[in-house]
Amino acid sequence: MSNPTDNETRDLLILGGGLVGMTLALAAAKQGLTSHVIDRADPAELTAEGFDDRATAISTASWHLFTNIGIADSLEKFACDIASIAVTDQNRPGRLDFTPDADEGTLGRMFPNRRLRLALFEAAAKEPLINWASNAEITVRQRGEFGVAAVLKDGRILKGRLMIGAEGRGSPTRDEAGITIAKWDYKHRAVISGLTHSKPHNNVAWEIFYPAGPFALLPMNNDASGSHRSSLVWTVSEEDGKAVTKLGDRAFLAELQKRMGDILGEVTSVGARSSWPLGFHHTVKITGERLALIGDSAHGIHPIAGQGLNLGLRDAAALVEVITDGARIGLDPGDHQLLKRYENWRGLDSFMVALATDGLTRIFGVPGKTASAVRRLGMTAVQSTPMLKSFFMDEARGVSGNLPELLKA
C-alpha cells in the first residue's frame, strides 16, 4: 500500500536494506539526510529465531559507529568481547598472540547476526527520515542527470538524488551500471555453526591454519543454561563442503575435536550447520553517474580476518561524511565531485585490505613441512616485534588509516 512518503524525492535511494544498507540509512538520518530503503526480503523472516546462526566480529571503529547512530545501548547486552586473538599453524608450537594493553580496550566484539539486524531494523522503523520499503521487488532502475528512481513491481516509483547499491555480492545495480568486477572463486566453502564446549574460551578468538583453509573459533556469550559457547567458521574445499555439512553430529564432533585439540575442552553440542561459498571480488570503480556502491556490492573478501562487514560499515560512514560535507556548501548528494572524493577515499583502502586477506589465504594454504616451518618462523618474528603486533591489532580494531568521523569515539 502506498504512503505519502513514497512520493517524496529523498536524498538517498538505498537499494538493499541489509546490515550495511540500513546502517548507512541510519547514519545519514543522524546528519539530517532522508532516504528510501528498498529491500526484497521480509524483515520478520530475517530476524526469526534460528534463521541465521552466523555471528560477526564488530571492530572497535564499527562499535563507535553503532554508538554514534544510537544502537549501541540496545546491543550492549549481546556483546562478547574479543580480548585476545591466538593464531597457530595447525596447532603446532610457535603461536602468535595479539592481546592489547588494558587501556587499549578490546580487539572487537562478537554479535549474533540476528541481534545486529533486530537493532538496526527497530531503529530504522522509528526514524521518520527513513522510508523503508520491504518485501519489494525492483523492476526498473533509472539514473539521469537530475535524479534517480526505482520502479517497484507493485507500481510504486521511489525517487532520490543518489542511488546506492547495497545488495551484496550479486548486486544487480552494479551489474546494470556496467561496472567491471574482478573475481575469483577460492573453491572453498565456509562451514558455520555454533558450539557448546566444556572449557571457557576466556574471550580468546582462535585462528588455526590448515592447508585446506583456516579454522576459526570465535567467542560467544554463554547460553541461558551457562554452557560455554563459541562460533565456528571452518574453511573446507568445495568438494568436502557438502560432505562435511551432511556428517552426522557424532562424526562432525569427532572431526572438530581433531582440529581443535583441547583448546576449548570437549565439544558437547553443535548447532545447525550452514555452508557458504567463498570468493574474492573487487570492482574497478565504486561510483558512476549518481551512483555509489557500498559493502559487498563493491568488494567481497575471504572471512579469514573477519573484516567483510567492517569494511562495508567503513564505506557507509565515509559516504555519509562526504555527502554531509558537500551539503554544507550546497552540493547535491549525487554531485560528481563528492562521488570522486568517495571513490578516492574508499577504493584504495578496501583494495589493500582485500589484497592482504587474499595473500594470507594463499600463504597459509601452501602445504608441506617447509612452508609450515617458514610460516611459524614469520609468526615468531611478529610475536617478538611489538611495533608489528600493534600494527596488526590496529588493523583488527579498524582504527588505522584515514577514518571517517563516525568511526571515532
Side-chain angles (χ1 to χ4, degrees):
M1 199 173 73
S2 183
N3 68 62
T5 52
D6 284 349
N7 301 319
E8 290 175 22
T9 297
R10 298 204 156 202
D11 295 311
L12 310 179
L13 182 65
I14 303 170
L15 311 186
L19 298 177
V20 176
M22 206 54 95
T23 300
L24 172 71
L26 284 164
K30 293 293 174 199
Q31 304 298 328
L33 297 165
T34 58
S35 63
H36 292 297
V37 178
I38 306 171
D39 197 73
R40 63 196 293 186
D42 179 348
E45 282 179 21
L46 289 180
T47 53
E49 194 79 63
F51 163 75
D52 185 354
D53 268 344
R54 286 180 296 173
T56 297
I58 295 298
S59 70
T60 306
S62 295
W63 185 247
H64 294 156
L65 172 60
F66 286 169
T67 303
N68 291 330
I69 65 173
I71 65 166
D73 287 349
S74 65
L75 279 171
E76 186 74 61
K77 60 180 171 290
F78 303 108
C80 183
D81 287 349
I82 302 172
S84 181
I85 298 173
V87 181
T88 84
D89 185 49
Q90 302 170 65
N91 266 339
R92 290 175 175 153
R95 101 182 199 202
L96 185 50
D97 287 294
F98 295 104
T99 309
D101 293 336
D103 61 338
E104 292 178 317
T106 68
L107 286 168
R109 289 148 171 234
M110 290 298 301
F111 289 94
N113 281 12
R114 176 172 173 265
R115 290 295 168 188
L116 294 175
R117 282 196 197 95
L118 276 168
L120 287 165
F121 291 176
E122 284 166 8
K126 294 178 199 152
E127 177 50 73
L129 298 186
I130 297 173
N131 178 38
W132 180 12
S134 58
N135 282 314
E137 195 176 325
I138 299 169
T139 54
V140 181
R141 294 168 181 78
Q142 299 169 337
R143 289 184 293 122
E145 193 182 340
F146 302 108
V148 298
V151 181
L152 306 187
K153 195 174 183 180
D154 62 12
R156 285 181 289 167
I157 301 173
L158 303 182
K159 296 177 181 177
R161 295 179 182 89
L162 174 65
M163 182 180 288
I164 293 151
E167 306 107 327
R169 285 179 179 244
S171 170
T173 302
R174 175 196 67 217
D175 295 346
E176 261 186 41
I179 292 176
T180 311
I181 184 165
K183 59 182 175 181
W184 49 86
D185 190 339
Y186 287 117
K187 300 282 190 282
H188 281 94
R189 295 185 79 83
V191 175
I192 291 164
S193 182
L195 310 176
T196 60
H197 42 85
S198 61
K199 284 186 181 175
H201 49 57
N202 298 323
N203 298 93
V204 177
W206 286 86
E207 193 86 64
I208 308 166
F209 286 95
Y210 288 98
F215 181 97
L217 297 162
L218 307 164
M220 300 294 289
N221 287 339
N222 288 352
D223 66 16
S225 67
S227 297
H228 306 305
R229 291 174 65 239
S230 291
S231 177
L232 165 75
V233 183
W234 175 13
T235 305
V236 296
S237 66
E238 187 68 63
E239 58 267 26
D240 290 345
K242 294 181 181 79
V244 167
T245 43
K246 284 179 183 166
L247 282 175
D249 280 0
R250 277 180 64 180
F252 186 69
L253 285 175
E255 287 296 325
L256 293 186
Q257 209 74 62
K258 202 160 67 181
R259 283 161 179 78
M260 289 165 57
D262 193 40
I263 288 171
L264 298 174
E266 185 192 347
V267 180
T268 48
S269 72
V270 57
R273 277 170 260 159
S274 60
S275 87
W276 304 79
L278 299 180
F280 171 100
H281 72 260
H282 207 90
T283 54
V284 171
K285 55 180 189 160
I286 55 172
T287 58
E289 184 186 24
R290 289 193 177 272
L291 173 68
L293 301 178
I294 62 171
D296 282 355
S297 292
H299 39 72
I301 61 175
H302 197 287
I304 190 171
Q307 289 303 317
L309 175 61
N310 294 301
L311 258 188
L313 297 177
R314 217 158 153 148
D315 294 340
L319 186 57
V320 168
E321 186 168 318
V322 165
I323 294 167
T324 307
D325 286 353
R328 289 196 190 102
I329 54 170
L331 293 180
D332 179 278
D335 185 275
H336 71 94
Q337 293 173 59
L338 299 183
L339 293 177
K340 189 171 190 309
R341 185 183 159 205
Y342 171 66
E343 174 85 54
N344 292 343
W345 189 354
R346 294 301 306 139
L348 183 63
D349 176 62
S350 60
F351 183 65
M352 294 311 286
V353 173
L355 213 57
T357 54
D358 183 64
L360 268 179
T361 309
R362 292 175 190 281
I363 289 166
F364 277 97
V366 178
K369 287 182 180 173
T370 308
S372 177
V374 169
R375 283 192 294 266
R376 283 183 287 133
L377 184 69
M379 286 157 68
T380 305
V382 173
Q383 181 76 348
S384 57
T385 313
M387 205 168 80
L388 268 178
K389 287 185 84 171
S390 293
F391 167 78
F392 285 120
M393 286 192 285
D394 283 349
E395 287 293 322
R397 283 199 293 260
V399 295
S400 58
N402 183 7
L403 272 193
E405 288 303 313
L406 281 168
L407 295 181
K408 296 175 185 174

